[in-house]
Amino acid sequence: MRVLRGSAEPLARRYRTALLDLDGVVYRGSVAVEHAAEALTQARRHALRTLFVTNNASRTPAEVATLISGFGLPVAPDEVVTSAQAAARLAAEQVPPGSPVLIVGGPSLELALAEVGLRPVRSAGDDPAAVVQGFAPDVDWRQLAEASYAVARGIPWIVSNMDLAVPREGGIAPGNGALATAVRLATGKEPLVAGKPQQAIFTESVRRSEPPHLVVGDGLITDIEGANASGLDSLLVLTGVTTVRTLATAPPHHRPTYLAADLRGLLVPHNDLVTTGTTVHCGTWTADLAHGDLLLTTTNPANHTDGARALCAAAWLAADSTMDCALDTALAYWTVLSTDSQAA
């Protein structure tokens, strides 16, 4: 069974390179996630190299670097790996150099395709050799229709990622996976996927950096599943799409190595989880499975992330089908205590 691990030293010292997701981890749309820039600045002082790996294909590496730098964290374009780049490389493996490729997305996809020697086009009437689809806020029905016309012919169809949702300034919005699903339903075809959790984007990220690597993300089915499939350790932060309840009911291949409230989790040791029978201890928190109940208690709620760690570890010990009501009760208790401790 995959379980959360502890670390006697800060993760920023334990690992050489952090492969950081962006949406929901460093920023939401164009707004910085609280504590992110400050935490990464401190992590770099521990000699942790930061490489930013994003499934969002709507921005070029230079645009991403400029955005992050605007938060007070200097970043160069070569420190950014995008799913648009990974998708373009997959397309270049499928078709001859110089081929026309129909794109669904924005200028970042056009740039990525041009960099690998392919010619971006916008119409199925241009006789494209492949279709590459990536997220952009202005993707509309007409672009999806042109993609559908071309994909239905049986040519290669590569999508940057299949994220169903993306964190934005106003909340959670449809991601590229939701848009690609429209094309899939219209054509009955299945795409090749370049971004997380698939291997292409992790392979490129590891190639550019030094081990040992730590994948840092907010998504179980993208960041964490991809890290596990690639044999990399991971840190899940609770600043994006994943809640404690979602993590507590996650299957083994969606479980991270470490858990933190936000990127400040890179800067501190992580308490070990100690399991005795059906009882899990983490710091001052205890989660106890007893007769189908999940009881969460603490002598000091200050480190509320330890409570989440203990709760998830205990839930993973039990059968999911018996845990729903008990988990809701324990989560309510954890939420009240963690909110009170943060307000204090």
Side-chain angles (χ1 to χ4, degrees), residues 104 124 131 143-153 182-184 186-187:
V104 178
V131 175
Q143 290 191 51
L144 297 177
E146 291 295 328
S148 298
Y149 304 150
V151 168
R153 299 171 187 167
V183 176
R184 182 176 63 81
T187 63

Side-chain angles (χ1 to χ4, degrees), residues 140-172:
D140 59 13
W141 181 90
R142 294 180 187 278
Q143 290 191 51
L144 297 177
E146 291 295 328
S148 298
Y149 304 150
V151 168
R153 299 171 187 167
I155 63 176
W157 173 32
I158 298 103
V159 301
S160 62
N161 65 288
M162 287 299 289
D163 295 15
L164 293 175
V166 58
R168 304 292 289 182
E169 297 92 331
I172 303 299

Side-chain angles (χ1 to χ4, degrees), residues 5 9 12 15 19 23-24 44 46 63 99 134 138 145 147 179 199 226 233 249 258 268 278 281 321 329 336 342:
R5 290 211 311 253
E9 60 182 338
Y15 295 90
L19 306 180
D23 285 306
R44 286 175 169 180
H46 290 302
E63 289 170 336
S99 296
D138 58 353
L179 301 175
Q199 297 297 298
D233 289 348
T249 57
Y258 308 100
V268 295
T278 58
H281 303 278
S321 61
T329 300
V336 169
Q342 291 178 76

Side-chain angles (χ1 to χ4, degrees), residues 256-331:
T257 313
Y258 308 100
L259 174 65
D262 53 51
L263 286 178
R264 290 177 296 178
L266 290 168
L267 307 175
V268 295
H270 288 232
N271 285 321
D272 288 318
L273 287 100
V274 179
T275 302
T276 305
T278 58
T279 302
V280 179
H281 303 278
C282 188
T284 63
W285 292 78
T286 298
D288 184 33
L289 291 166
H291 309 295
D293 289 329
L294 176 54
L295 305 177
L296 187 66
T297 58
T298 183
T299 58
N300 183 353
N303 191 347
H304 59 280
T305 307
D306 278 349
R309 294 180 182 124
L311 189 155
C312 289
W316 295 342
L317 289 174
D320 290 346
S321 61
T322 65
M323 287 305 301
D324 284 348
C325 292
L327 181 58
D328 286 339
T329 300
L331 277 167

